[in-house]
Amino acid sequence: MKKFTFTLLLAVIGCSGFSQIEELTPEEKFYRDSITHLNESNAAIEASQLAYNEGVELFKQNNFKAAVGKFTSSISNDPKFTPAYYNKAVAQNSMEDYKGAIKTLDELLTIKANYAKAFFQRARAYQGIGDYLNAETDYEKVIELKPKYDKAYYNYGTLKFMQKDYFAAVTQFSKVIMLKPDDAYAYNDRGSCYRMLEKYGEAVKDYEEAARKNPNLAFVLNNIGTTKTKLKMYVEALAAFNRALSVDTEFFLAYNNRGVTHMRMERIDDAVNDFTKALEINPSYAPAYSNRSGAYFKKGDYEKAKQDADKALQLNPELADAYVNRGNAKEMLRDLDGACEDWSKARQLGSELAKQYHSGNCSN
Amino acid sequence: MKNYLIVLFLSFSVFSFGQDVEFKAANFKDDKEGFKKAKEQMELGTEQWHLGNAEVFVVKSPELFYMKALEHFEKAYAFNPNSAELNFKIGVCHIHSTHKVKALPYFKEAYKRNALVDPFINYYMGLVHQLEGDFNKALTFYTTFETEYRKADDFGKFVKQRKSECKSGLKLVGTPIRAWVDHVPELSSEFDDYAPSVSMDGEEIILTSNRPNGHTPNEVGVYDDDIYSASLIDGVWQKPAKLKGKINTEGNDVSNNLSYNGTKMLMSKENAQGNSDIYESELRGDTWSDPISFSRDINFKSNERFASYNFNDRAIYFAKDKPGGKNGYDIMVSGVKVKRDRSYGLPTQILDVSSQFNDGPIYMHPNGKIMYFASEGFNSMGGYDIFYAKKIKGGGWTKPVNMGAPINTPYDDYFFAATANGKFAYIASNRAGGKGGFDIYKATFWGDEKSPSFATEDYLLASVAKPIQDPELVGEVKVTSMAELTVFKGKTLDAITKKAVKAIIEITDNNKGEIVESFTTNSATGKFLISLKSGGNYGIAVKADGYLFHSENFDIPQGSAYNLVNKKIELKNIKIGSKIALRNVFFDTGKSNIRSESNTELDRLVQLLKDVPSLKIELSGHTDNTGSAQNNIKLSQDRAAAAVAYLKSKGIAANRLTAKGHGSDKPIDTNATASGRQNNRRTEFEITGN
């Protein structure tokens, strides 16, 4: 109230030279109102832009949540400011708020219907919530609007891969390779498609091409190792794992996988060492415990086999392999009921081996 | 003392070094009566013992004779346990009983006391080592026996078989099968417990036992066999109970096999002639019916026992002891003729699974393709072993396969009753470690070696199964700081008549020195309406034909309260004597040099003088009353002269211009206030000629 009185007084003083007392005509009033509106509108745009820029800065600091807040503020100040929608959606995707991103992008695409990158982001978001059908539709739209957008083909390929449509995935990754011939990732992923199609020769060829494009990708070398293990080319597989580990000495997956190759070669002690090394690097890596359990089982050390499977299951209670291995160990420790329980659980989790063991040992 | 020492020495020799103390009177001078009785028992026992031996030769059951012999021998043994001969004979009695393990210490004692006690001692010492699993040592004894035994009888086949067993034992024990065999104490007793037959679900078991049953034991104190059943509850077998009904009699009633659905049972029992025959009983409610014998085609004059149903109920398999035969029981099959009459065709011996020794019991797998049977022959590692043979398409059976250790031992292992999944089986065995005689054992098969489940993990997708991100944001924008506008309205009027005057207005943004608006007011109303950025300082210059040029300086404050500024501009006719203040002419404080932002205003005056060439003016400088009057006069004079100089520089003739400094002599407002003093500080011109 005090402030208002002061303001009013200023107005009166201010108007002593420039009188404001005279009544305005309707046209003048309209003009004044339009100017007032213009002033408000300009202030809002400025506030929107300021919030937007702050959001961009926060995003760069990976503070996605705060960035989303700023972009939201920007949008509320200027609902037509499309970059704020886009950036908000990107931030939401980055923080895996896929539903939020979809909502934001729906609004954006209402304002800017053919915004290819918005479709791309929405496809990502749909992919994030497992709505592959809508994700596909959006990726197709991106490709239609922006036919040379390699990332769209790449993600579309990924989507197809995840739906186990490996032939379609090969097509998409091939397009990425056509657009970006040096894309090691695309070669790797196409190799993985071939691998899933059990075309191991072609898979290795693509993986090796990926490794040529970028020799420092440990995971590509690891993929070569596991694929060659499937081809029973154990010596070459070991060489690939060794290369992977020379690139990344902390790559625990490569230790784990090399351990499995050692098992195939019946080098049980070497396998145990590799599984142990994987666990030294990542003590929470349940599969290495499960695998070491299997190795101990093969050595006839059933107590240790059980202990390792127990640890694996503490870390991941849904790890079917660990149930199989613990079941095997329990059987040899004369706990057939316990073994049957474990095989049953592994069977529920989809293990074919457990199905075989359970039906062969646990029914009457 | 000396004599005492000699006696002591002798005693030490006899008992410490295991000398043979034969049943000779000379050895028992101090107890002639005792010796006489013991000797008599020795002889009575030996009589039965020989009868038993005769049975062994023809692969018959010598057990009863040996049991009788044992009764006498034990009395003799109580008198003299140090006779190698007696120890040997007791060993023989036990080794041919169901309690074989009892024989071992007697044979060892006999051999220790006299390694030449009997021509068969090496044979039985071979058996001792065979039972103990020391097959190599056993072979040495058998070979020695073989070398020394010169009798042209059939016993050679036993030695040959024993040696074969040892060789089998070396192989079989060296490569045990993947199974555990556990004693089942709940189903076993210190008596003979055998002939297990288990329901398909593994939760009911039938077995035979000669445990005390309330009947009258035979002449050697052994009770007759009865059939019992037990249930598995929470993984534990309950105490076996006699089957309900009249199935159990005072004679030996021996379970053979349950039918696959558990409603019928084949059993064997002695007929009136003392031969073992096969019978069948049915389960009615919880009671077993009176056993009914099979037709003469099966139950002939010989002994038949250990029968098994076939999977399709179209035949029975059983063991038959052919009269006059020397190969013990053989395995037979007989096809059904009229089922309801239990009428079966003449049995046929299955040669593929019949050996020179006792064969059977038999268990037919429910799939009809595998026969499990026990045999003392083939590659048994000793006593009965359990074998299997597979049915050959087109007829016959494969060569029997020993089920191996630990299912089989050098002792008697027989009967085989499996659960439906084949994971478990129950057998009977008199191996060491049981309660006594035959006991029930449970075999748990591991099945094929289990493979551990190994998992590899890859980043199959470079993006680790997540879509790649395109986190490129739209970049920062330049903030368009749109200044606020203020509505500026006004009117141009004749200062004297107050009538609207059409005037040309120029508005200058003094901060930038730019003309921001230029317009003409309405001729009828003199009104104008524009918007100006708030927060600026503006100059307004108004020209109208016949009127003195009008100039003002004003601020448009920041803030929405000032969104409308109203201005009334009164214009003066150009008349001699009119005085006009140039409000937008600026000087540095205390100096007379004109600041550049004054040019617009002065240029208007230039323009007015050019527009009205007859116009003569006096430019006068005015100060407020602060400072000395002399200084004020000088400063105002200098400033007026500076303005004249500017006008001259723009081409205005000097004769039209005069400069006059008035100091503070001609105030137009009060000097008592700041705003009044500001008004008084001015540059003014007066029209002096026109």
Side-chain angles (χ1 to χ4, degrees), chain A residues 359 361-364, chain B residues 199-203 232 419-424:
Chain A
S359 58
N361 294 280
C362 303
S363 57
N364 284 318
Chain B
S199 62
M200 298 302 282
D201 63 5
E203 293 185 353
L232 186 70
T419 55
N421 66 355
K423 178 76 181 172
F424 306 107

Side-chain angles (χ1 to χ4, degrees), chain A residues 48-216:
Chain A
S48 168
Q49 290 169 337
L50 282 170
Y52 171 88
N53 284 349
E54 285 168 16
V56 170
E57 193 52 41
L58 287 163
F59 184 93
K60 286 176 186 167
Q61 295 163 15
N62 291 334
N63 190 349
F64 303 124
K65 192 177 175 187
V68 167
K70 289 294 177 186
F71 292 131
T72 303
S73 168
S74 174
I75 292 166
S76 73
N77 275 303
D78 182 4
K80 290 183 179 171
F81 188 39
T82 54
Y85 289 93
Y86 179 80
N87 285 0
K88 179 181 173 184
V90 171
Q92 284 170 316
N93 270 341
S94 297
M95 62 189 281
E96 299 185 359
D97 174 13
Y98 300 118
K99 287 185 178 172
I102 290 166
K103 189 166 175 282
T104 305
L105 292 160
D106 284 346
E107 288 166 8
L108 173 58
L109 287 164
T110 309
I111 302 167
K112 199 172 175 183
N114 285 328
Y115 192 0
K117 291 187 83 168
F119 279 110
F120 179 84
Q121 291 296 337
R122 197 172 66 177
R124 262 198 66 205
Y126 278 128
Q127 197 164 341
I129 59 167
D131 184 350
Y132 296 150
L133 203 63
N134 274 317
E136 276 189 23
T137 308
D138 275 359
Y139 281 132
E140 281 167 4
K141 187 74 181 169
V142 180
I143 290 165
E144 177 194 322
L145 292 168
K146 213 171 168 186
K148 291 190 175 175
Y149 191 24
D150 57 279
K151 285 178 181 170
Y153 292 108
Y154 185 85
N155 274 9
Y156 198 11
T158 304
L159 189 63
K160 287 291 184 188
F161 184 97
M162 289 166 77
Q163 292 176 88
K164 300 183 179 175
D165 186 352
Y166 302 117
F167 285 112
V170 164
T171 306
Q172 298 305 322
F173 290 131
S174 295
K175 282 181 181 165
V176 180
I177 289 166
M178 197 173 72
L179 291 167
K180 275 179 80 182
D182 286 331
D183 192 331
Y185 279 24
Y187 274 109
N188 175 79
D189 292 4
R190 191 173 70 178
S192 294
C193 295
Y194 287 130
R195 175 163 149 176
M196 299 310 288
L197 291 165
E198 298 185 357
K199 295 179 174 180
Y200 298 124
E202 288 175 70
V204 167
K205 203 174 146 196
D206 265 357
Y207 286 143
E208 287 179 341
E209 190 60 33
R212 269 191 289 277
K213 302 287 181 200
N214 186 348
N216 294 318

Side-chain angles (χ1 to χ4, degrees), chain B residues 8 34 60 79 204 256 277 307 326 383 486 519 522 538 670:
Chain B
L8 193 65
K60 300 280 185 188
F79 178 77
E204 294 290 331
N256 290 178
D277 277 349
K326 291 184 178 178
T486 295
F519 53 90
N522 185 288
Y538 294 91
T670 175

Side-chain angles (χ1 to χ4, degrees), chain B residues 15 47 107 155 192 270 301 307-308 391 539 608:
Chain B
F15 298 108
E47 201 176 305
F107 283 130
F155 201 79
D192 291 326
E270 286 174 5
K301 289 178 182 173
S308 173
K391 198 166 194 174
L608 175 68

